[in-house]
């Protein structure tokens, strides 16, 4: 490197160019979060298989919610919004595979009632009973009164007139119809009479849409808002064309979908419209982590360069350090291409690890180079002296830090393992750049160092006597230990927060909206319906389960309806006789009288309501409008048209009642929008188990999953148990165990490496003690400042162990240097202390910019832990270990014999 610097530079730069070219051609970026975990683990393999068979879990959801009172928004507007969004998204075939806005109810035919929520089916049935009870005056023959048979319309209006006076309540027909909602029914009927008189054919009321706040009657996905069960959301499911080969490609589809939705939103000002779901969350997380990483890396490089200029007091040496680091980073790209072949959502942050940790070894080399260059003239002698002093400690420190990354390969967290391979190899390559590129560069271009860079070559000092005032060195260690004792109370407050959603950037619409959806569930898969039924029976009494959903519910509904259909009073219905001209006058008279009843009820507050469906005044106007139209029409023609209306309306009621007597259930006739939720193309039936409690809270999640799995473990047939809830619970547990294992293995490896380097247990303990004094202080500060461990910053613990032990190693090596050579006096703030300060500055500032500038809360917390942890370890080094070593040195005095080291 020194004898042939040009050849060395040529080789290193050729390898750099080859690495960059190879990485450019072959290295990819995978954004598939399913690849962050090992598919060899059964629960994760089951979850991936479940997602492939039931892809709705990976759908992007467009959420439509009313800005004000949702009951004031007509069904037609909900439907128009959903259809407009779906149409706009279908026009993006390059980004969207399919769009699911509603279940085509017409394709269900008489089977539609089978998909009613079993908990609501009895109420729906009772509602139909009451409605048919009301309409029986139109459907059943009227008994004679005073020898005359009244027309059925006359009898129907008479009943309503009496019912309004007596306060009778109509129950419901699929929607809730009480006395305050009775006006909407009569308004619809009266308006249909008026339109019938004006047209050629009977115009029937749209009974399906009378309950205006509920577009689910038309097949739209209208679900409760899980964050406010009093409100509802309209959902549109979107299946994007996934692209995992780059961050830009992965986010482009989501961005295009959002842009399309935003173009529709202005046409529906009464709604707020947003996107969420796993694709949206993933795209937002990728964007924020990528932006945070790039911003932190650029600013860290600048800040490190400025700091190096100040600490090294040389612009050229700072630039040389940056160049050497750049060479190491470039080689690392080649290493990543060869070893892993791709970057994932975690391993893309390896650059920051190299900037924050890899620079430390270069700093140690340059600090000693600056000192030795002031003492010696010949380059060979300079570099021999440099590596004699720093070679052993930087080798130990680098192997320990690299090992702390490499041990991640023994865990099941694949994303961390790939980061470990790339970052661990990168640290070794940065050290290699310090052994090759840096000496060759400074041999050819040594630069000019200021006079202050050349301290006296040697300085003699008499050995200090044992005893004396050496106790003063123990003041700071004692104070530090006292602070640790005080910090125990705060350290106990530090907990582990396994929540993943809290790691996302704050304020993201996708994060806020996802809490509104019922995304949590466990799922039982089986090809055998009897096994599925046994599984449902096993969890029926579970205190953690709110309800279940499966094809079994459809079958149960079919059975229940067959058992209760005879309770519907339809058996005496007959075709109505023709309305006579002389009956029309009585119908007109009763319509006006009923309108007066509505006016009186509205004025008295009994039937009035703030809702459109309770508008008694509108119903009164509709009845009077009919009465006026009937009075103006030819009586015979009006009677004929109303007779045709009666027959058509009764057929409509009978058709509406037909689903209550369903034909045998036929899954093949169910639209794919529903069928794909219940059974996979491979024939796997799904039983969804929905929780009672909020599973965003870890305690509830653990209780739900453990209870469900314990009950299902006893089911014969061994059905597969999977779903989002079990997958999140088990994956977080495995990741946590992997981190704990990585931390323990990293610590054990570092102890072994330091012991091999130090060759004495006492010095090994002293070097490692910087972790024992520094990390507890970090935990105490976390408790004091209410910072918890999570799945992002917890990964910083093995990194801190790997990067932090170097401070103790460098300090003990400086002590050994003095013991070995008494002329290298260690009195004031010398080159080794300045190098440690520079290392602490580089590491803490590099990661600290995540904390200051990042939006992603996981990266912010990682930056906080790394920055504060590095400062704690550095302070424990200079306030505890250094004084202890100075105390030993003063008591013993420097000795020449290596046997004493």
């Amino acid at each position: 490197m020194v004898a042939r610097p040009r050849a060395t530079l040529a080789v290193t730069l050729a390898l750099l160019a080859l690495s960059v070219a190879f990485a450019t051609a072959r290295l990819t970026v995978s954004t598939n979060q399913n690849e962050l975990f090992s598919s060899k683990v059964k629960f994760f393999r089951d979850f991936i298989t479940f997602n492939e068979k039931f892809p709705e879990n990976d759908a992007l959801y467009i959420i439509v919610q009313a800005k004000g009172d949702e009951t004031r928004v007509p069904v037609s507007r909900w439907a128009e919004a959903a259809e407009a969004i779906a149409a706009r998204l279908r026009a993006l075939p390059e980004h969207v595979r399919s769009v699911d806005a509603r279940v085509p109810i017409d394709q269900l035919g008489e089977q539609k009632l089978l998909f009613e929520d079993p908990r609501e089916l009895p109420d729906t049935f009772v509602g139909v009973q009451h409605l048919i009870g009301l309409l029986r005056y139109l459907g059943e023959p009227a008994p004679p009164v005073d020898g005359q048979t009244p027309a059925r319309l006359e009898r129907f209006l008479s009943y309503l007139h009496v019912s309004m006076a007596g306060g009778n309540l109509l129950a419901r027909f699929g929607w809730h119809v009480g006395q305050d909602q009775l006006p909407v029914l009569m308004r619809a009927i009266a308006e249909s009479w008026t339109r019938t008189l004006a047209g050629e054919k009977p115009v029937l009321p749209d009974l399906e849409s009378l309950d205006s706040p509920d577009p689910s009657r038309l097949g739209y996905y209208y679900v409760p808002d899980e964050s406010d069960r009093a409100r509802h959301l309209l959902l549109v499911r979107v299946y994007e064309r996934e692209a995992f080969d780059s961050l830009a490609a992965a986010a482009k589809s989501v961005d295009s979908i959002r842009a399309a939705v935003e173009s529709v939103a202005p046409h529906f000002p009464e709604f707020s419209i947003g996107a969420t779901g796993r694709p949206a969350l993933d795209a937002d997380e990728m964007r924020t982590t990528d932006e945070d990483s790039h911003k932190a890396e650029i600013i860290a490089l600048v800040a490190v360069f400025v700091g190096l200029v100040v600490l090294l007091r040389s612009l050229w040496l700072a630039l040389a350090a940056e160049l050497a680091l750049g060479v190491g980073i470039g080689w690392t790209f080649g290493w990543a291409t060869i070893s892993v072949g791709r970057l994932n959502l975690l391993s893309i942050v390896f650059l920051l690890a190299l900037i924050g940790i890899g620079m430390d070894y270069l700093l140690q080399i340059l600090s000693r180079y600056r000192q030795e260059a002031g003492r010696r003239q010949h380059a060979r002698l300079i570099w021999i002296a440099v590596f004699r002093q720093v070679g052993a400690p930087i080798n130990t420190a680098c192997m320990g830090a690299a090992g702390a990354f490499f041990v991640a390969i023994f865990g099941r967290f694949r994303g961390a393992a790939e980061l470990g391979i790339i970052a661990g190899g990168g640290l070794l390559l940065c050290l290699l750049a310090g052994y090759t590129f840096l000496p060759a560069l400074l041999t050819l271009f040594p630069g000019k160092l200021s006079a202050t860079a050349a301290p006296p070559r040697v300085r003699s000092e008499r050995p200090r006597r044992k005893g004396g005032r050496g106790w003063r060195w123990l003041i700071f260690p004692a104070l530090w230990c006292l602070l640790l004792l005080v910090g125990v109370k705060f350290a106990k407050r530090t907990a582990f927060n396994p929540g993943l959603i809290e790691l996302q950037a704050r304020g993201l619409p996708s994060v806020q909206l996802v809490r509104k959806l019922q995304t949590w569930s466990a799922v039982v898969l089986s090809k055998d319906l009897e096994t599925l039924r046994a599984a449902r029976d096993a969890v029926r009494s579970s205190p953690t389960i709110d309800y279940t959903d499966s094809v079994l519910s459809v079958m149960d509904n079919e059975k229940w309806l067959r058992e209760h259909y005879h309770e519907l009073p339809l058996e005496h219905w007959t075709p109505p006789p023709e309305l006579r001209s002389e009956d029309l006058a009585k119908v007109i008279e009763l319509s006006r009288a009923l309108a007066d009843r509505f006016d009186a009820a509205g004025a008295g507050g009994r039937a009035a309501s703030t809702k459109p469906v309770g508008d008694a005044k509108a119903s009164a106007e509709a009845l009077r409008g009919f009465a006026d139209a009937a009075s103006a029409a030819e009586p015979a023609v009006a009677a004929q048209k109303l007779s045709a209306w009666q027959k058509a309306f009764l057929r409509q009621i009978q058709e509406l009642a037909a689903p209550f007597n369903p034909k045998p259930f036929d899954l093949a006739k169910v639209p794919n929008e529903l069928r794909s939720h219940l059974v996979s193309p491979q024939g796997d039936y799904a039983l969804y188990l929905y929780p009672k409690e909020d599973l965003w809270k870890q305690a509830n999640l653990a209780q739900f999953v453990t209870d469900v799995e314990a009950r299902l473990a006893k089911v014969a047939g061994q059905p597969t148990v999977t779903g989002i809830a079990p997958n999140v619970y088990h994956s977080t547990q495995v990741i946590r165990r992997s981190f704990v294992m990585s931390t323990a293995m990293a610590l054990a490896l570092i102890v072994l490496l330091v012991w091999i380097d130090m060759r004495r247990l006492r010095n090994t303990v002293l070097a490692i003690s910087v972790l024992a004094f520094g990390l507890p202080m970090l935990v105490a500060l976390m408790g004091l400042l209410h910072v918890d461990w999570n799945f992002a910053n917890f990964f910083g613990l093995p990194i801190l162990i790997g990067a932090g032990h170097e401070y103790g190693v460098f300090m003990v090596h400086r002590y050994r240097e003095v013991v070995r050579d008494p002329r290298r006096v260690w009195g004031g703030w010398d080159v080794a202390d300045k190098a440690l300060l520079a290392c602490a500055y580089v590491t803490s500032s590099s990661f600290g910019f995540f904390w200051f500038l990042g939006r992603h809360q996981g990266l912010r917390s990682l930056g906080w832990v790394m920055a504060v942890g590095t400062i704690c370890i550095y302070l424990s080094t200079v306030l505890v270990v250094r004084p202890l070593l100075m105390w030993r040195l003063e008591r013993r005095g420097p000795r020449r014999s290596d046997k004493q080291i």
Side-chain angles (χ1 to χ4, degrees), residues 364-383:
Q364 292 291 333
I365 295 172
L366 289 171
S367 297
R368 285 308 178 114
Y369 170 79
R370 177 181 176 81
Q371 182 186 53
E372 298 301 332
R375 294 179 174 180
R376 297 172 174 82
Q377 299 297 322
H378 196 277
R380 182 181 180 84
L381 295 178
I382 293 174
W383 287 106

Side-chain angles (χ1 to χ4, degrees), residues 300-315:
L301 283 172
V302 174
V304 166
F305 178 75
V306 174
L308 292 181
V309 172
V310 174
L311 293 169
L312 294 174
R313 289 171 292 170
S314 170
L315 181 64

Side-chain angles (χ1 to χ4, degrees), residues 52-321:
E52 292 172 351
K53 294 179 177 180
F54 298 87
E56 64 185 46
N57 288 318
D58 287 331
L60 187 149
Y61 285 88
I62 307 301
I63 294 183
V64 181
Q65 50 189 337
K67 292 180 179 178
D69 184 359
E70 63 193 41
T71 61
R72 289 186 176 272
V73 182
V75 167
S76 59
R77 290 296 288 172
W78 290 99
E80 290 170 9
E83 295 299 337
I85 292 170
R88 182 68 184 86
L89 293 176
R90 292 188 182 108
L92 302 174
E94 67 275 19
H95 300 296
V96 175
R97 288 189 289 115
S98 63
V99 181
D100 180 10
R102 63 184 288 266
V103 176
I105 296 293
D106 54 321
Q107 294 183 26
L108 280 174
E110 294 184 358
Q111 294 191 118
K112 62 183 179 181
L113 205 60
L114 301 182
F115 294 90
E116 182 91 1
D117 187 333
R119 298 171 297 178
E120 298 178 1
L121 184 60
D123 289 339
T124 301
F125 186 83
V126 170
V128 171
Q129 282 183 312
H130 282 264
L131 182 67
I132 292 177
L134 166 66
L135 299 178
R136 68 187 180 90
Y137 294 99
L138 288 172
E140 296 179 1
V145 177
D146 297 331
Q148 295 184 354
T149 302
R152 293 193 185 182
L153 277 181
E154 175 188 343
R155 185 172 177 235
F156 172 65
L157 291 171
S158 297
Y159 170 76
L160 288 180
H161 188 274
V162 174
S163 179
M164 287 289 295
N168 182 45
L169 297 179
L170 304 178
R172 58 176 290 171
F173 170 51
W175 62 90
H176 181 78
V177 180
Q179 182 168 338
D180 59 334
Q181 279 114 5
L182 175 60
V184 71
L185 178 62
M186 275 314 304
R187 176 184 178 182
I189 291 177
E191 289 177 347
S192 71
W193 288 343
T194 303
R195 290 195 297 269
T196 297
L197 293 177
E200 297 296 328
K201 295 182 179 180
V203 178
L204 299 177
D206 185 5
L207 298 179
E208 292 283 359
S209 61
L210 287 183
D211 189 14
S212 60
D214 193 354
S216 64
R217 304 290 167 193
L218 304 178
Y220 293 96
Y221 302 107
Y222 189 70
V223 300
D225 182 341
E226 292 299 317
S227 62
D228 182 2
R229 302 282 299 183
R231 294 182 61 82
H232 291 77
L233 311 170
L234 185 70
L235 306 181
V236 177
R237 290 192 301 207
V238 186
Y239 297 92
E240 62 169 340
R241 294 193 183 277
E242 299 170 330
F244 298 129
D245 54 344
S246 70
L247 293 174
K252 186 176 181 180
S253 293
V254 174
D255 291 341
S256 299
I257 291 171
R258 280 177 167 153
V261 172
E262 289 173 1
S263 69
V264 175
H267 301 287
F268 300 92
E270 66 268 47
F271 298 120
S272 61
I273 305 175
T276 188
R278 186 176 179 184
L281 291 170
D282 290 353
D284 288 341
E285 186 167 35
M286 286 184 289
R287 180 181 293 105
T288 53
T289 54
D290 187 49
E291 292 175 354
D292 290 351
S293 298
H294 280 83
K295 187 164 49 177
E297 289 160 5
I298 293 172
I299 297 178
L301 283 172
V302 174
V304 166
F305 178 75
V306 174
L308 292 181
V309 172
V310 174
L311 293 169
L312 294 174
R313 289 171 292 170
S314 170
L315 181 64
W316 169 239
L317 290 184
L319 182 59

